Amino acid sequence: MSSNLATKLREGTKKAHTMAENVGFVKCFLKGVVEKTSYRKLVSNLYFVYSAMEEEMDRHSTHPILSKIYFPQLNRKNSLEQDLYFYYGSNWREQVAPSKAAQDYVQQIRNISATQPELLVAHSYTRYIGDLSGGQILKKIAQRAMNLAEGQGTAFYEFPEIPDEKAFKANYRQALNELPIDETTADRIVDEANATFGMNMKLFQELEGNLIKAIGQMLFNTLTRRRTAGSTELATAE
């Protein structure tokens, strides 16, 4: 059975993808303006999101649908812990807490895991394929903007267990297309992927206050004035 899910997800989320890339925080990031306070808050929020997603994927590792795209080598929780140690120090666990948007995102992951676990496919796709696709570009931007040495504060973008990211993405998309699902389920997964882009946008929008405070409203307005077509992936999928 082939649902063409990979193509449906790519085509069905194009608009949401472009909208996510036009959030001010993301536009500034892609132009090389990254402010450490807001960035480390993003890392903190992503830690809670990935922890929830990976716990639920692990819980459903033998599920007839989710087992087909269950790849622990994608997991980001440990790499995010490394980055949090770098940005906050050894007592980082006492310093970080999920923002309102992160709490809502985590709650959605928990809810669908309990009621419609097949929709976790949308969350896995949206986050991981985006990470694999744009990760190296974003790593270089972050390193330059925050003057980071190699191996400092950018573990999130590293996939040591995936030597060939392009081949892995091709295998992942094939696995999506071979999921034992019907058209209705495929459409629900696409809808959930669009909702996931919205949740990621809210994570980014929350961070704009800190960024504006650091760089000034005028520069922020200059950097974000023009709307651009989607180009690379920060938290999105190609």
Side-chain angles (χ1 to χ4, degrees):
M1 182 190 297
S2 176
S3 63
N4 252 348
L5 181 59
T7 302
K8 285 182 176 178
L9 280 165
R10 187 178 68 247
E11 297 300 318
T13 60
K14 272 186 175 175
K15 183 179 177 183
H17 184 171
T18 300
M19 287 174 65
E21 289 193 351
N22 279 279
V23 173
F25 177 84
V26 180
K27 290 179 83 169
C28 289
F29 194 113
L30 293 173
K31 291 177 180 176
V33 178
V34 187
E35 184 268 326
K36 193 170 278 188
T37 299
S38 51
Y39 181 77
R40 73 176 191 168
K41 182 60 182 174
L42 173 63
V43 173
S44 165
N45 280 330
L46 290 177
Y47 168 74
F48 292 103
V49 169
Y50 279 90
S51 294
M53 183 168 68
E54 288 164 9
E55 283 169 23
E56 300 306 334
M57 287 293 290
D58 188 60
R59 190 191 313 278
H60 295 291
S61 61
T62 59
H63 185 278
I65 295 171
L66 294 176
S67 61
K68 310 295 184 188
I69 58 152
Y70 178 65
F71 299 108
Q73 61 266 49
L74 285 168
N75 286 359
R76 301 287 81 206
K77 181 182 177 184
N78 289 342
S79 60
L80 285 162
E81 288 178 345
Q82 292 173 47
D83 288 343
L84 288 170
Y85 184 94
F86 173 78
Y87 290 111
Y88 288 95
S90 59
N91 67 334
W92 64 266
R93 290 183 191 277
E94 285 85 65
Q95 297 187 61
V96 301
S99 69
K100 176 64 168 67
Q103 289 173 41
D104 292 344
Y105 197 158
V106 167
Q107 191 59 51
Q108 176 66 4
I109 290 170
R110 303 291 192 199
N111 288 346
I112 63 169
S113 176
T115 59
Q116 306 174 80
E118 66 279 1
L119 297 186
L120 287 170
V121 171
H123 289 265
S124 174
Y125 166 84
T126 304
R127 290 291 344 170
Y128 292 129
I129 296 299
D131 297 336
L132 284 168
S133 298
Q136 292 311 300
I137 295 169
L138 298 173
K139 175 188 169 185
K140 288 185 175 67
I141 293 172
Q143 284 176 325
R144 269 199 309 272
M146 294 185 284
N147 198 26
L148 301 173
E150 182 64 38
Q152 289 191 325
T154 54
F156 175 67
Y157 303 114
E158 298 292 339
F159 288 85
E161 295 180 55
I162 302 177
D164 187 336
E165 293 175 0
K166 188 174 180 182
F168 184 91
K169 285 193 294 180
N171 291 336
Y172 189 96
R173 291 192 180 97
Q174 184 177 343
L176 286 175
N177 286 335
E178 293 174 355
L179 291 179
I181 59 174
D182 57 23
E183 292 295 312
T184 302
T185 303
D187 290 342
R188 286 194 298 118
I189 290 170
V190 173
D191 289 344
E192 184 66 21
N194 279 307
T196 305
F197 275 102
M199 287 178 256
N200 280 289
M201 286 174 65
K202 287 177 181 173
L203 285 184
F204 302 138
Q205 287 163 341
E206 281 183 330
L207 299 168
E208 289 180 3
N210 279 336
L211 182 59
I212 291 168
K213 204 178 293 181
I215 69 173
Q217 187 73 53
M218 191 178 294
L219 177 55
F220 180 82
N221 290 347
T222 301
L223 290 167
T224 59
R225 187 171 295 133
R226 289 185 60 193
R227 182 176 175 83
T228 55
S231 53
T232 186
E233 295 86 355
L234 179 56
T236 56
E238 65 175 18

